Amino acid sequence: MNKPEAVNWKSFKETLAQHPDLTLQFQYAENQWVDPSYHITEIKQAPIVSVDCGGVMNSWTEIIVQLWEPEPAEQERAMTVSKALSIVDLVEKSLPLNPLATVKIEFGNSQFDTRQLFPNDFIISGGNLIIDLRPGAVQCKAMERGESCGTKTTGEECCPAEKPKVELINFAAGGDVCTPGSGCC
């Protein structure tokens, strides 16, 4: 699987703005399309703060555009790009969106579990602007920095290689046993 390059919000909007009269379509898997009656139900801005396995704090922002397919389908033709941009404008009147945030499209239906997908490619074909969506991949930020997963920056492992042995004691097997009402508890 190829890992898609993240598209930021500014680039995403600029691409849409270049094609306002086209119909906006989404392909979520090979030859699998979001139904043309979809709605953009919300646009979320999610600041993410994490600490990776190497102990380094990371932060970034994601803009998540949620698509919903009504059942039964309400129309035969998807919305135009200009209609999608009018929804973006409405959202941005209340919520200033970070132009450098990573864009994800959230979608699911009865045949496809809901997940957040990356815009992988923008394709113009037959009066349509098709946004090809692809899943991302889990990453290890420590390994991407040249460290090993689960190691400190000094190179030693953060977890001991040999775990200490713990002696288990069976308190019930001995003489004095704490029983309810005896005052020992």
Side-chain angles (χ1 to χ4, degrees), residues 92-108:
E92 289 187 322
K93 285 179 183 172
S94 299
L95 177 64
L97 298 174
N98 181 340
L100 301 178
T102 300
V103 175
K104 290 185 174 178
I105 307 297
E106 186 173 70
F107 171 74

Side-chain angles (χ1 to χ4, degrees), residues 58-93:
N58 302 279
S59 64
W60 67 94
T61 302
E62 296 177 354
I63 304 295
I64 303 152
V65 178
Q66 186 181 72
L67 305 179
W68 170 68
E69 286 182 354
E71 288 185 29
E74 296 175 347
Q75 64 220 27
E76 295 292 317
R77 185 168 180 222
M79 71 176 67
T80 62
V81 173
S82 62
K83 170 70 175 173
L85 285 169
S86 71
I87 295 168
V88 168
D89 289 342
L90 181 66
V91 168
E92 289 187 322
K93 285 179 183 172

